[in-house]
Amino acid sequence: MLTCPLCSAPLQAADNGVGCPLGHRFDRARQGYLNLLPVQHKNSRDPGDNQAMVEARRRFLDGGHYAPLAARLAELAARRQPDRWLDIGCGEGYYTTRLAQALPAAEGYALDISREAVKRACRRAPDVEWLVASMARVPLADASCGLLASVFSPLDWQEARRLLTPGGGLLRMGPTRRHLLELRGRLYDEIRDYDDRKHLALIPEGMQAVHGEELEFRLTLGDAQARADLLAMTPHGWRASAERRAAVIDAPLEVTVSIRYDWIERLP
Ligand SMILES: C[S@@+](CC[C@H](N)C(=O)[O-])C[C@H]1O[C@@H](n2cnc3c(N)ncnc32)[C@H](O)[C@@H]1O
Ligand SMILES: [Zn+2]
């Protein structure tokens, strides 16, 4: 099912990696992931989230603070029972691992452009095929996936449509306008409102939103490390002033976690 990121021909297993009939070769890293991001497709030397962001997200998520979000994501995926699924922008694999547990009979793939993220992610679930790759040129065949997951990540909608089987769908999870409201209140003088349905306007022809729901709960972060990690894994970590960030880390915090799930289907 994998395709060559340079010429789109099918990839076959070749010693310690994969290769296409034109002779393009890609190695499997010692940790187990495949690097399918050719140098010429990289916009920077180390694209995607850096090591510090990945470490912060891993510690925070492993602390269980967002466990209800992952549990609901897994439930929604389990309803679909796809033959093959792909997590696009998988990060360090916390949600991917829950998807793999929810879909034990299916063939699972996960990709991220950040090598630091995939290096850590692939330890979590060896049965998933982990890829360092770009979501703008996903190295999988047309109509090959019954389910795509996009969790707190950007998305290339044209690629999503290309990858989906007719009747398959994209399970998207993202913040609502209330997400981390109290944190934003402490960081900024003015809380910028945003439209948490604007992704729905981007759905291309041939795809249709068929289900949407929200999940909201209060989270108390009594631990300074957890507050620092939450800051480091969100854009607020670098947007706000150093003073305001330090103040957030210093004092206990109670925040609203508010998430929206959408199931967006490819029409048959
Ligand atoms: C906010 S993180 C979410 C990670 C993970 N889904 C989670 O929620 O824990 C967004 C991820 O998208 C990845 N990313 C950004 N641009 C990308 C691209 N063009 N192709 C693939 N991944 C990309 C980043 O490296 C990062 O890991
Ligand atoms: Zn090739």
Side-chain angles (χ1 to χ4, degrees):
M1 263 315 135
L2 287 172
T3 56
C4 176
L6 291 170
C7 71
S8 298
L11 288 172
Q12 303 287 345
D15 50 335
N16 196 36
V18 290
C20 81
L22 286 186
H24 302 126
R25 289 254 324 138
F26 305 90
D27 290 335
R28 192 175 288 281
R30 148 177 76 80
Q31 292 91 344
Y33 65 88
L34 278 173
N35 186 354
L36 295 180
L37 185 67
V39 202
Q40 52 269 53
H41 294 172
K42 284 190 187 183
N43 294 325
S44 67
R45 200 172 148 263
D46 247 337
D49 284 6
N50 61 35
Q51 189 175 342
M53 288 170 83
V54 172
E55 288 287 347
R57 188 176 300 117
R58 188 177 58 83
R59 263 195 312 268
F60 184 87
L61 293 173
D62 283 346
H65 306 296
Y66 278 3
L69 303 182
R72 186 61 186 151
L73 183 78
E75 269 170 26
L76 291 170
R79 280 189 196 168
R80 305 295 166 178
Q81 294 298 327
D83 294 333
R84 190 177 299 106
W85 57 274
L86 164 69
D87 186 8
I88 304 178
C90 62
E92 53 64 69
Y94 174 75
Y95 298 99
T96 322
T97 304
R98 296 303 310 272
L99 289 171
Q101 288 162 355
L103 303 169
E107 210 180 297
Y109 292 80
L111 72 83
D112 201 285
I113 204 163
S114 160
R115 201 169 59 91
E116 291 299 337
V118 175
K119 227 163 71 180
R120 285 166 180 72
C122 65
R123 294 191 206 126
R124 289 189 185 265
D127 289 345
V128 172
E129 181 76 276
W130 299 94
L131 312 170
V132 174
S134 165
M135 65 177 70
R137 296 160 188 256
V138 175
L140 281 166
D142 295 0
S144 57
C145 299
L147 183 146
L148 301 175
S150 173
V151 179
F152 287 122
S153 285
L155 181 71
D156 185 312
W157 287 90
Q158 303 307 321
E159 273 296 85
R161 180 176 59 186
R162 179 185 74 76
L163 290 163
L164 281 171
T165 56
L170 165 75
L171 182 55
R172 181 188 181 274
M173 177 176 135
T176 78
R177 67 204 323 155
R178 290 180 302 283
H179 188 52
L180 305 180
L181 198 60
E182 302 80 357
L183 174 70
R184 284 147 61 206
R186 285 205 199 170
L187 289 173
Y188 310 112
D189 291 331
E190 225 175 295
I191 301 181
R192 206 168 47 177
D193 195 16
Y194 62 90
D195 180 4
D196 52 24
R197 297 170 61 91
K198 70 171 185 282
H199 59 282
L200 297 174
L202 302 173
I203 298 173
E205 208 176 303
M207 289 179 76
Q208 189 178 33
V210 294
H211 174 79
E213 64 177 54
E214 292 183 2
L215 175 60
E216 192 166 298
F217 59 91
R218 304 277 294 170
L219 180 66
T220 305
L221 295 176
D223 176 37
Q225 182 70 61
R227 294 191 293 273
D229 288 340
L230 179 60
L231 272 183
M233 65 189 247
T234 66
H236 310 300
W238 40 269
R239 265 194 222 132
S241 75
E243 232 169 59
R244 294 274 184 110
R245 278 184 279 148
V248 164
I249 295 170
D250 279 349
L253 178 69
E254 196 182 330
V255 275
T256 302
V257 174
S258 182
I259 294 302
R260 184 187 162 93
Y261 299 87
D262 288 290
W263 176 253
I264 301 160
E265 241 166 51
R266 161 129 194 227
L267 300 173

